[in-house]
Amino acid sequence: MSEPFDDGSEGLPCVLSEDVTAFMTDPALPPWAMGPVVAAMVEIGETRGLVAGSTVAEDWPECRLLPLGEDGALGIIEYVIAKDAAPPQVIVTRVLLY
């Protein structure tokens, strides 16, 4: 798993956008995708969004992309770290499968 957030804090809730909720509950979602996507979401929450291997948007550092599967072979997850929100959370905004 990834390195924990280094300030001793617990993880953050991982909240799904409406689009991602619809994606995850779509019966057409391939069965092979559920496990890796949920595992990535758990890791995102546990690490407060600072997952090893995620990339940061240059102009918006709270927005990150996380490759799914080995070298991103399965797709990507886009999320936003909303640490100043009440309550602080990580919002998964998009899941793109290849």
Side-chain angles (χ1 to χ4, degrees):
M1 229 168 194
S2 296
E3 297 176 27
F5 197 63
D6 63 356
D7 70 355
S9 300
E10 294 182 21
L12 291 174
C14 191
V15 179
L16 308 182
S17 70
E18 288 182 21
D19 288 342
V20 174
T21 298
F23 173 82
M24 294 298 292
T25 58
D26 185 343
L29 179 67
W32 59 263
M34 185 65 73
V37 171
V38 171
M41 290 178 188
V42 168
E43 188 171 14
I44 289 167
E46 287 178 348
T47 62
R48 302 174 63 90
L50 302 178
V51 181
S54 65
T55 58
V56 179
E58 193 171 308
D59 295 331
W60 188 18
E62 296 83 8
C63 182
R64 299 178 80 92
L65 296 175
L66 177 64
L68 266 179
E70 191 170 325
D71 296 325
L74 300 178
I76 59 169
I77 293 181
E78 177 186 82
Y79 61 95
V80 176
I81 303 169
K83 61 184 170 189
D84 295 330
Q89 58 191 323
V90 179
I91 305 157
V92 178
T93 55
R94 188 176 320 176
V95 177
L96 175 64
L97 299 178
Y98 300 139

